[in-house]
Amino acid sequence: MTYPYSHNYYSAMPTLEIWLGYPSESFSRGPLPAIIGTGADSTLVPDNLLDEIGAPFSDEARLRSHWGEWRTVSLFVVDIGIDKLRLPTKSLSFHS
């Protein structure tokens, strides 16, 4: 798959269209623009989209930003669709 860079961002970033859905059900939101983060350890989804699909809360974790600040975040269970590919959620376990 190849996707163009979006010039809606400065500097231009690679983006693609995704779909979101409740685990194992039909996708209910999309297409949505998504920035491709090749070194990302997680996927960030706006709260309002999680509410719209009824994504169930899973756990809390502490994440560190690029600038070194720590923040507690909520983890939710959601499936992501890219083209004809479905990326099902995985059970995550974080230990301090």
Side-chain angles (χ1 to χ4, degrees):
M1 289 185 257
T2 58
Y3 294 93
Y5 273 60
S6 171
H7 294 281
N8 293 332
Y9 302 96
Y10 180 80
S11 63
M13 297 182 186
T15 61
L16 53 79
E17 289 185 336
I18 64 166
W19 285 259
L20 297 176
Y22 194 86
S24 304
E25 292 185 4
S26 297
F27 290 117
S28 57
R29 280 296 271 126
L32 302 163
I35 297 170
I36 302 170
T38 57
D41 292 332
S42 60
T43 300
L44 303 176
V45 177
D47 288 340
N48 64 315
L49 295 175
L50 295 170
D51 290 342
E52 286 179 29
I53 65 172
F57 173 81
S58 173
D59 203 351
E60 286 187 341
R62 284 180 33 97
L63 296 181
R64 189 172 57 99
S65 75
H66 294 68
W67 301 275
E69 67 184 24
W70 287 92
R71 164 177 311 215
T72 301
V73 296
S74 298
L75 303 176
F76 291 85
V77 180
V78 62
D79 285 359
I80 299 173
I82 301 171
D83 201 20
K84 293 181 169 62
L85 179 65
R86 183 180 199 107
L87 303 171
T89 192
K90 292 184 177 183
S91 296
L92 301 175
S93 178
F94 290 89
H95 302 281
S96 317

